[in-house]
Amino acid sequence: MALRLLETILRRLLSVLLVLFVLSLMIFTLARIVPGDPARMVLGPSATQEQVAELRTEMGLDQPILTQYVTYVGKAVHGDLGQSIVTNRPVSRDIAEFLPATLELVLVTIIIVLLIAVPLGVLTARHRNTWIDNVGRFFSLVGVTIPSFLFAVGLQLVAANFFPSWPILGRVDYQLNAPDGPTGLLLIDSLMSGRMDVFADASQHILFPALALAMSGIGQITRITRSAMIENQRRDHALTLRSFGVPEKVVTFKYLLKLSSVAPLTIMGLEFASMIGNAFVVEMVFGWGGFASYGLTAILQKDLNALMAVVLISGLFFIFANLVIDIVVGLIDPRLRLRGGTA
Amino acid sequence: MSQSTPKELTAAYMSWYRFSRNHAAVIGAVIVISVLVMTALAPWITPFPDHIGSVVDFRNRHAAPDAQNWFGTDKAGRDVFTRTIFGFRVSLMLVVGVLGISVPVGAVLGMSAGYFGGWTERIITGLTNVMLAIPPLVMALAIGNVLEPNLTNAMIAITLLWWTWHARLVYRITVSIASEDYIEAARLAGASHMHILFREILPNCVAVISVKTTLDAAFVILFGATLSFLGFGVKPPTPDLGSMVADGRQFLPEKWWEVLAPGFAIFYATLGFNLLGDGLRDMFDVED
Amino acid sequence: MKRLLDVQNLNISFSGYGRTQQVLHDISFCVNEGEQVSLIGETGSGKSVTAKAILGTLPANATIDSGSIGFEGMDLFNLSKPDRERLKGTAFSIIMQDPLSSFNPVFRIGTHLDDVMRHADRRQGIPDSAKGRKSRIFETLRKVQLSDPERIFNAWPFELSGGMRQRVLIALALLHQPQLLIADEPGTALDVTTQYEILRLIKSLVVEDGLSLLMITHNLGVVRQTADRVLVMQHGHMVEQGPLQRVFSAPESDYTKSLMAAVPPLYGPNVTNQPVSDKAPIITLTDVQKIYKKRGLFTQGEGHLAVDGINITVNEGEIFGLAGESGSGKTTVARMIMDLLEPTSGTVTVSGTPSENALRLSQIVYQNPGTSLNPKRSVQQILDVPLKHMGYDKPKRRARMEELLTLVRLPVNFLSKYPHELSGGQKQRVAIARALAAEPKIIVLDEPTSALDVSVQRTVMDLLLELRDSLGLTYVIISHDLSLMRNFCSRIAIMFKSRIVEAGTPEEVFRTAKHPYTRALISAIPVISDAEEAQKPTVTDEERSQFLVANTGS
């Protein structure tokens, strides 16, 4: 048993490495076929041909792609992701600075999604084909039919019109002199250092961007939860309990809910990719100085090292999130625990 | 329960019954058809078909909705209603382009992986897993940037990622079908791999694929709108729902109509496809 | 005698797709205190709906049109909801049918048991602690012969064998000493010997505690073992009821008569002995062994021994039966004969020349006609595949299809039908036609009738016998159903734990079975007459515990 568990874990790690390898190779090749010389972009149009050639050698651009890739990976495993041509700093430092903001946004979003979607899914399944179901289904439909950027713009409009004092740009009021570290997640840092004023202000700031980002997830997860509940309600095991008079509430909230949480959790894992993508838009609209904003700039400025790092970190984030979800799902369903992952 | 489905009920009748009793699905179908009709007849049903070009009418810029311009005009004095209707064209072109390629490709790869197993399976599922780990928007932006930010490249970028979802779905179904007795029976009767893939397995995937494709149409519209909102869409002055929202956003909240019409149009089209997809799912009785 | 359950003129209909279908027509019967009643019926007879109506677990689309169900003088349909709930599990309870899906897979067995007991306690006003409940549950688990209640209580559903889960389901029904036990086809999904143990257990529990039993089943042999009185249902009508002796010795309705006639006899004058063929051998297996290799990072090299030391010779024109329970290795042997699997060691020789144009010597007819025909392809399309491969042109194929349908006794207009438009027996005939289309010399029959109702089984087997005679085929049939093989096979071999433990003509095997497992297997077959029961081989309790409990206990 223990051997099988170990094997499962090893298999997962192996597949993670494989995914990372293919992903990095793909992005690397993509980044190298960019029309336009990165060295030229760094130096600007006024630089001489010699200067450009010199920088190309320095950046290793004159070597074959494979050599470049090996060099890159060699450095990357030591945490050196190269230099950003936009910020003129090591990319790793940029990431360290910008990632926590996005992490915070995404974590709060996930909490909002789970807090709203799961109860709503259970509620609509329990009251199937009643007005409660119809309202809930319409709400979840709105979630999946309206793009994040429209929600973002709409929420800003609402705030501007009805709550003029509510902050709609940035992470925190700069005059508050927010604590810096240790986690980089403002909500946690402020709590740790006892700065309730910062915590309150940061909570206000994060509410609307997180809501805008959560809507599509809420729509998806509500639907999945609802259909999983309905599917499981029809199963024999629910009939077993009912036949012996176990109250419907216990059947629903204890037995069916646990079984039905596997599907939405798995989907949640897959939704991470599009959530990170949507974060690009939401961060832009709300001026949220995060990783996604950094990525967007990197893309627009053809900042290759930064771009590469952004895609890799996004992929890593996705893989890590799914690993966590696999573990959670394994805790819920003993059959999956022994069989290995789902993704 | 066999007792509840008497013999004379044919599968087609039961499917139609489920669909027609589902009012939401019927509404979805009506919306989708209306979008298709509006798109096809755009030059004849819009008041200012020439406003999709580089028309500038500064005397009439930012005009509020009135009898002439139902949804007002934009920063160049162009009719928002006309441009919104034409904006559907870009969205639908994207839908047809992306799904027209990625659905068949995904289906064939998914079937092959599930049926042949071995290295075919390992390579295709491995590739799918890698592709799923990339945020689609990031990938699209990166490709759009590497090449050139325009509609064709956006389409290529989305297509490159989209097939994976269909491959995953079809793969899962195929794996369960491949072990069915009728597949082995066909092989024992001398059927070729081609026959088994396209005649035995594919017909069993059609229902699921069509549900997924309908729901995907909505996602592609959303996705395309998001890309063009970020400036990776069609070249101006061609109207496009996402870029119209981005343009109008600068004049919020005073000139709200410039965002409202394209914003609502996105909602309308995606709502239609979603309702239709849900209805088809009930009709074919397939799981999520 | 006191009336416990009294069903009067019950009419129930189901609605769906805008139509209403009546599924129970004026059903009336009663169960007296301490009485054991069997409700017999085939698929769609309405027997399960009747049980659900008593329990109060009818689906939402069911309507009770008229009639009443009385329990100890109370009218169940007039009780308030809490009063009705109070009866569940205490006045009457059900032994669920399918041990695989009857437990929620993400909860431990003990959680199910405890919740059922806790809520029933609460309704009854019995105060008890978690500890007290646990000891009562353990007691009930021991009562159903689960000797390690602690392990069962903490196990996940998937960790138990089918037989153990079925015992837990029985325990679930016994937690509060109900007066009436309703058993819905208990053990049907399990092996014959396990099923036999389950029936013995239910019977002894009912007798010990003086419970009343309503047994729902399609198996007449089971009825003979467990019932005082018999109810026969067909298409929602009660066609016959009466004491067991009377119904079995002198059935009144035509339907009961046909049911009785369809049961294959084990002993006596009605048994058919198939002639042994003295033609040349067509299939020869010599010292065949098959090991399935498991692939894993750490577990490489380990393998599962599926079959070992198999020696079989099948002569042309024979009907060779390979009997055994699930996991005995019989399917592996069949697949090696089909050349779908390579033996790990030993040789499999299939001699003889294929028919002209035919791809191969052997074809197969599968167990479940529901999954052996592609639901998206019409009969014509299904038959077209092998015929095309035979190299026939279009008019020839069409002619051959009509010929094949006639051979399997189906009307020619069935060509345009899809599988869902056919009944189970018709589907199986199409599957036989498909196998015949490839013009094989050997047909492997993989449990060809186990998914069919008894009355249909008979007609399919008769058809297969006719086809063998007219087309000169050789059959290899694999099955767990020895009563079927007794009358159908010219020679049989019994497999147990990867090996053949007994072989010979059915007559020899049934009369002088040497291996204790064979004897246990034969004695577990439910028969419908005392005369046959008396001729079964005897098995000592020691042998039984060695070959049955060991088999189900894992």
Side-chain angles (χ1 to χ4, degrees):
Chain A
M1 201 77 111
L3 216 59
R4 271 172 79 186
L5 203 66
L6 188 66
E7 187 179 324
T8 309
I9 293 168
L10 274 180
R11 265 180 202 281
R12 286 305 303 246
L13 282 178
L14 216 68
S15 77
V16 167
L17 284 179
L18 199 73
V19 168
L20 275 184
F21 168 69
V22 178
L23 188 61
S24 61
L25 195 63
M26 239 164 58
I27 302 303
F28 197 82
T29 319
L30 193 72
R32 302 296 128 156
I33 56 167
V34 184
D37 188 342
R40 168 64 72 187
M41 295 199 65
V42 175
L43 296 170
S46 58
T48 64
Q49 206 64 31
E50 288 76 36
Q51 284 172 310
V52 173
E54 199 178 315
L55 188 66
R56 279 184 65 87
T57 319
E58 197 183 308
M59 289 169 81
L61 291 172
D62 53 343
Q63 282 165 15
I65 287 187
L66 208 65
T67 321
Q68 290 185 41
Y69 177 72
V70 172
T71 318
Y72 180 86
V73 172
K75 284 182 175 170
V77 291
H78 292 101
D80 179 4
L81 295 168
Q83 199 80 7
S84 161
I85 58 168
V86 174
T87 60
N88 265 324
R89 301 191 310 178
V91 171
S92 47
R93 241 183 82 193
D94 287 347
I95 299 278
E97 182 179 334
F98 292 118
L99 189 60
T102 300
L103 214 55
E104 184 167 37
L105 181 62
V106 168
L107 284 177
V108 172
T109 303
I110 292 168
I111 293 170
I112 292 179
V113 168
L114 290 180
L115 279 183
I116 296 180
V118 173
L120 197 60
V122 175
L123 196 72
T124 48
R126 237 175 102 81
H127 300 274
R128 198 183 174 192
N129 296 331
T130 63
W131 66 270
I132 298 175
D133 188 21
N134 289 335
V135 170
R137 286 173 82 180
F138 184 74
F139 181 72
S140 63
L141 204 56
V142 167
V144 289
T145 48
I146 296 183
S148 304
F149 69 84
L150 267 186
F151 273 122
V153 171
L155 282 171
Q156 276 194 328
L157 259 186
V158 169
N161 277 322
F162 301 105
F163 314 100
S165 61
W166 197 282
I168 51 170
L169 281 175
R171 292 176 72 193
V172 71
D173 193 334
Y174 281 106
Q175 294 163 351
L176 279 176
N177 196 10
D180 192 15
T183 62
L185 308 179
L186 265 180
L187 291 176
I188 293 177
D189 288 345
S190 57
L191 277 182
M192 281 169 70
S193 56
R195 292 284 305 275
M196 290 319 287
D197 56 331
V198 176
F199 182 77
D201 186 67
S203 306
Q204 281 192 339
H205 274 87
I206 207 168
L207 181 69
F208 279 157
L211 263 183
L213 194 52
M215 282 308 286
S216 123
I218 292 175
Q220 295 280 8
I221 301 298
T222 307
R223 287 157 64 125
I224 305 286
T225 311
R226 176 180 178 274
S227 62
M229 286 292 289
I230 288 174
E231 187 60 35
N232 286 327
Q233 265 167 12
R234 291 191 248 172
R235 302 264 172 195
D236 277 357
H237 50 72
L239 186 67
T240 308
L241 296 168
R242 282 189 203 117
S243 299
F244 292 105
V246 174
E248 201 55 43
K249 270 188 186 145
V250 178
V251 175
T252 306
F253 291 110
K254 180 172 176 181
Y255 285 86
L256 296 179
L257 183 57
K258 187 173 172 195
L259 184 61
S260 307
S261 60
V262 173
L265 276 173
T266 315
I267 299 295
M268 184 97 188
L270 294 174
E271 280 289 302
F272 268 113
S274 69
M275 196 185 280
I276 294 168
N278 284 333
F280 276 61
V281 191
V282 171
E283 287 193 6
M284 184 190 118
V285 174
F286 285 97
W288 192 266
F291 169 71
S293 307
Y294 178 71
L296 199 61
T297 323
I299 288 165
L300 290 172
Q301 302 295 323
K302 296 194 196 250
D303 187 344
L304 290 185
N305 284 332
L307 171 68
M308 180 89 184
V310 164
V311 179
L312 272 184
I313 301 274
S314 306
L316 205 62
F317 193 61
F318 175 88
I319 295 168
F320 179 72
N322 276 284
L323 214 59
V324 171
I325 282 186
D326 276 355
I327 293 169
V328 174
V329 166
L331 288 177
I332 293 173
D333 192 336
R335 293 169 301 175
L336 299 172
R337 203 181 304 158
L338 298 170
R339 238 186 268 145
T342 49
Chain B
M1 187 123 312
S2 58
Q3 288 92 334
S4 62
T5 51
K7 281 256 162 59
E8 66 269 22
L9 286 175
T10 63
Y13 170 79
M14 291 194 284
S15 298
W16 170 246
Y17 182 85
R18 280 196 288 260
F19 186 81
S20 61
R21 285 293 297 266
N22 186 342
H23 300 301
V26 175
I27 295 172
V30 169
I31 292 177
V32 169
I33 291 169
S34 74
V35 169
L36 295 177
V37 168
M38 279 194 284
T39 312
L41 301 181
W44 297 281
I45 57 168
T46 51
F48 304 98
D50 57 321
H51 280 193
I52 59 166
S54 46
V55 173
V56 179
D57 182 0
F58 278 118
R59 273 165 309 165
N60 209 7
R61 60 198 290 237
H62 295 311
D66 58 23
Q68 200 183 14
N69 305 107
W70 297 350
F71 290 98
T73 63
D74 66 4
K75 62 182 176 191
R78 295 171 299 197
D79 182 44
V80 172
F81 174 68
T82 303
R83 291 178 62 77
T84 302
I85 299 296
F86 274 92
F88 277 139
R89 289 196 154 181
V90 176
S91 296
L92 288 184
M93 259 157 59
L94 203 61
V95 168
V96 172
V98 170
L99 298 181
I101 298 169
S102 60
V103 173
V105 169
V108 169
L109 288 177
M111 282 197 304
S112 309
Y115 174 64
F116 292 112
W119 279 104
T120 319
E121 180 179 13
R122 258 170 261 174
I123 290 172
I124 293 175
T125 52
L127 199 61
T128 324
N129 283 345
V130 174
M131 299 302 258
L132 285 174
I134 311 174
L137 200 72
V138 178
M139 179 76 169
L141 290 174
I143 292 181
N145 185 260
V146 165
L147 303 167
E148 191 190 333
N150 61 35
L151 186 71
T152 321
N153 289 336
M155 210 152 81
I156 293 171
I158 306 175
T159 310
L160 273 177
L161 291 168
W162 219 276
W163 66 268
T164 52
W165 290 93
H166 284 266
R168 234 178 92 91
L169 184 72
V170 172
Y171 167 73
R172 270 207 333 246
I173 304 168
T174 307
V175 165
S176 68
I177 293 177
S179 59
E180 295 277 7
D181 292 336
Y182 58 79
I183 299 297
E184 190 178 86
R187 224 170 17 218
L188 290 174
S192 64
H193 289 317
M194 276 298 175
H195 171 93
I196 290 176
L197 282 179
F198 291 99
R199 296 286 169 81
E200 306 278 346
I201 295 177
L202 186 61
N204 286 290
C205 302
V206 166
V208 177
I209 293 176
S210 56
V211 170
K212 173 90 180 137
T213 305
T214 314
L215 293 173
D216 270 3
F219 275 115
V220 173
I221 294 174
L222 282 189
F223 202 76
T226 307
L227 276 183
S228 61
F229 177 78
L230 291 171
F232 290 77
V234 290
K235 281 228 168 68
T238 310
D240 171 295
L241 300 176
S243 54
M244 285 171 75
V245 172
D247 287 346
R249 184 176 158 239
Q250 302 157 29
F251 308 106
L252 282 177
E254 293 80 19
K255 315 283 189 257
W256 49 269
W257 55 86
E258 293 175 32
V259 169
L260 183 75
F264 181 76
I266 297 171
F267 170 68
Y268 183 74
T270 50
L271 181 74
F273 280 108
N274 264 300
L275 289 174
L276 182 62
D278 281 350
L280 289 178
R281 180 181 5 235
D282 287 349
M283 174 172 152
F284 293 130
D285 201 17
V286 294
E287 283 176 42
D288 276 294
Chain C
M1 230 187 294
K2 209 176 116 199
R3 270 197 183 184
L4 198 60
L5 179 74
D6 192 6
V7 179
Q8 288 296 334
N9 300 321
L10 191 59
N11 284 287
I12 289 180
S13 51
F14 281 0
S15 57
Y17 305 105
R19 300 180 191 189
T20 310
Q21 161 103 348
Q22 191 166 353
V23 292
L24 289 189
H25 303 264
D26 274 326
I27 297 299
S28 299
F29 66 91
C30 64
V31 178
N32 294 325
E33 212 163 72
E35 194 183 24
Q36 295 164 36
V37 177
S38 274
L39 182 56
I40 313 168
E42 294 183 295
T43 317
S45 62
K47 57 189 195 299
S48 292
V49 178
T50 310
K52 287 192 170 121
I54 299 167
L55 288 165
T57 52
L58 283 171
N61 64 338
T63 324
I64 298 163
D65 300 319
S66 64
S68 68
I69 298 179
F71 191 84
E72 286 195 304
M74 295 176 284
D75 184 351
L76 292 188
F77 296 154
N78 283 335
L79 288 181
S80 68
K81 202 169 178 254
D83 282 340
R84 182 96 208 249
E85 289 292 305
R86 197 166 297 137
L87 297 174
K88 284 185 179 175
T90 49
F92 43 74
S93 51
I94 184 165
I95 299 173
M96 306 288 291
Q97 171 180 12
D98 185 0
L100 244 159
S101 60
S102 293
F103 293 100
N104 189 320
V106 302
F107 284 90
R108 292 179 195 274
I109 294 286
T111 317
H112 291 85
L113 287 161
D114 188 61
D115 266 325
V116 167
M117 179 168 259
R118 189 156 52 97
H119 290 286
D121 276 359
R122 198 172 290 169
R123 287 194 303 270
Q124 297 292 309
I126 304 171
D128 201 352
S129 64
K131 216 176 150 192
R133 280 199 303 274
K134 203 167 169 181
S135 75
R136 281 158 67 206
I137 289 169
F138 278 22
E139 198 182 309
T140 317
L141 287 176
R142 281 195 205 96
K143 210 166 155 182
V144 295
Q145 294 164 13
L146 289 165
S147 50
D148 190 356
E150 183 75 45
R151 190 192 133 218
I152 304 285
F153 193 85
N154 290 317
W156 298 100
F158 73 97
E159 291 176 327
L160 300 183
S161 71
M164 290 163 103
R165 278 194 296 251
Q166 185 71 64
R167 282 166 202 270
V168 177
L169 286 174
I170 297 172
L172 210 49
L174 292 175
L175 284 177
H176 278 88
Q177 281 293 342
Q179 291 162 278
L180 173 67
L181 208 52
I182 300 172
D184 187 1
E185 307 248 13
T188 310
L190 304 172
D191 278 329
V192 195
T193 48
T194 317
Q195 190 185 351
Y196 177 74
E197 293 294 310
I198 294 292
L199 285 175
R200 270 182 22 138
L201 173 67
I202 292 177
K203 203 173 164 170
S204 70
L205 288 169
V206 167
V207 172
E208 260 170 47
D209 297 347
L211 307 180
S212 307
L213 175 70
L214 179 62
M215 169 78 77
I216 295 166
T217 182
H218 67 275
N219 188 326
L220 290 175
V222 169
V223 173
R224 197 191 65 86
Q225 283 175 19
T226 52
D228 306 327
R229 209 151 51 79
V230 179
L231 316 166
V232 185
M233 279 181 80
Q234 184 195 23
H235 305 318
H237 295 272
M238 186 70 74
V239 293
E240 177 154 5
Q241 48 178 309
L244 176 82
Q245 288 303 333
R246 206 276 292 147
V247 174
F248 270 47
S249 56
E252 278 165 6
S253 80
D254 291 341
Y255 180 67
T256 317
K257 282 177 200 161
S258 72
L259 274 184
M260 302 276 298
V263 177
L266 287 190
Y267 299 98
N270 295 331
V271 172
T272 318
N273 285 318
Q274 300 292 342
V276 179
S277 162
D278 50 10
K279 289 194 186 148
I282 187 164
I283 302 166
T284 317
L285 277 75
T286 320
D287 288 329
V288 167
Q289 186 193 50
K290 176 74 195 175
I291 297 171
Y292 289 110
K293 288 248 164 61
K294 265 189 228 150
R295 299 264 317 246
L297 286 176
F298 301 108
T299 44
Q300 211 144 31
E302 267 178 57
H304 163 66
L305 182 70
V307 299
D308 195 15
I310 303 290
N311 288 293
I312 294 174
T313 311
V314 180
N315 294 338
E316 202 181 335
E318 243 189 315
I319 304 179
F320 186 82
L322 207 50
E325 302 193 318
S326 49
S328 62
K330 59 186 192 302
T331 307
T332 304
V333 173
R335 294 183 74 79
M336 286 193 288
I337 294 173
M338 291 288 297
D339 199 19
L340 291 168
L341 273 181
E342 287 279 318
T344 308
S345 68
T347 52
V348 177
T349 322
V350 179
S351 46
T353 39
S355 321
E356 200 185 342
N357 302 324
L359 175 68
R360 41 187 302 134
L361 264 169
S362 56
Q363 286 293 333
I364 185 166
V365 174
Y366 296 94
Q367 169 177 17
N368 187 348
T371 60
S372 73
L373 302 180
N374 191 334
K376 300 288 174 195
R377 291 174 71 76
S378 68
V379 174
Q380 173 161 15
Q381 288 173 318
I382 289 168
L383 294 179
D384 205 41
V385 177
L387 292 178
K388 228 180 211 161
H389 207 269
M390 298 293 290
Y392 297 146
D393 60 7
K394 215 166 177 189
K396 175 89 202 270
R397 292 207 296 267
R398 176 78 198 187
R400 182 80 179 120
M401 277 178 206
E402 294 180 0
E403 200 176 290
L404 285 166
L405 284 191
T406 316
L407 264 181
V408 297
R409 311 265 184 281
L410 287 177
V412 172
N413 64 9
F414 268 44
L415 279 179
S416 58
K417 295 207 179 214
Y418 283 86
H420 65 82
E421 298 170 272
L422 307 176
S423 70
Q426 289 167 342
K427 279 184 216 168
Q428 202 59 311
R429 282 160 197 268
V430 173
I432 294 169
R434 173 180 57 194
L436 293 176
E439 295 176 22
K441 296 278 191 224
I442 303 165
I443 295 185
V444 170
L445 304 163
D446 179 3
E447 307 257 11
T449 58
S450 66
L452 305 176
D453 279 328
V454 199
S455 51
V456 185
Q457 275 181 16
R458 181 68 184 264
T459 55
V460 170
M461 295 320 286
D462 286 347
L463 172 70
L464 284 168
L465 283 175
E466 271 177 51
L467 289 171
R468 187 204 47 158
D469 292 343
S470 57
L471 301 175
L473 298 166
T474 305
Y475 290 151
V476 172
I477 175 168
I478 55 176
S479 176
H480 67 276
D481 187 351
L482 271 175
S483 58
L484 177 91
M485 294 177 126
R486 171 67 188 91
N487 296 280
F488 185 69
C489 296
S490 55
R491 280 195 304 133
I492 56 176
I494 315 280
M495 286 194 74
F496 178 61
K497 288 190 175 165
S498 317
R499 292 175 174 277
I500 291 179
V501 293
E502 189 115 23
T505 65
E507 199 183 0
E508 286 163 13
V509 170
F510 272 71
R511 211 158 288 287
T512 57
K514 286 177 202 74
H515 197 277
Y517 176 72
T518 315
R519 279 186 270 134
L521 203 57
I522 296 173
S523 76
I525 303 169
V527 290
I528 56 168
S529 75
D530 294 338
E532 285 179 272
E533 185 73 57
Q535 293 191 59
K536 280 183 180 176
T538 49
V539 193
T540 63
D541 277 347
E542 191 191 339
E543 286 168 346
R544 197 185 295 285
S545 64
Q546 192 181 346
F547 291 100
L548 297 186
V549 181
N551 206 20
T552 56
S554 59

